[in-house]
Amino acid sequence: VTVGGLPLLQQEFDVGGRRLHVVCPRDPDEVLDRYIAAGTDGDPYWTRVWPSAIALAVELLRRPELVQGRRVADLGGVLGACCCCAVALGRV
């Protein structure tokens, strides 16, 4: 599958006993090459779910009281793993 000519892949993660499926660009270097070709600033770090995001998502699922009764915004969380878990908890 491609979007805008960019090949995509699906990553799967075990997050607190749940499977999280994330679609992302197949090659971060191709994303960087596109930024360079377009003459724009950017980095390809958003193209992968970081281990720290998975760890935080696991903690949110383990301790839902951390977000209970609060609005949650996933800023800088790369591909939204933490936000997906907050949605699963009904906390958005």
Side-chain angles (χ1 to χ4, degrees):
V1 175
T2 64
V3 172
L6 188 64
L8 303 177
L9 66 88
Q10 179 176 307
Q11 292 181 299
E12 295 183 18
F13 302 94
D14 180 32
V15 180
R18 299 175 189 210
R19 291 303 286 172
L20 176 65
H21 300 264
V22 178
V23 176
C24 59
R26 183 177 304 278
D27 184 2
D29 289 334
E30 184 174 348
V31 173
L32 181 60
D33 291 344
R34 287 173 178 237
Y35 285 136
I36 292 168
T40 59
D41 289 331
D43 61 60
Y45 297 118
W46 62 267
T47 63
R48 294 293 180 262
V49 176
W50 292 10
S52 57
I54 296 296
L56 180 56
V58 167
E59 190 66 12
L60 289 177
L61 290 172
R62 192 172 71 80
R63 298 178 49 205
E65 69 274 6
L66 293 174
V67 293
Q68 187 172 12
R70 297 182 169 99
R71 292 183 184 200
V72 175
D74 189 356
L75 302 175
V78 192
L79 292 171
C82 296
C83 189
C84 289
C85 289
V87 168
L89 293 168
R91 307 289 193 251
V92 175

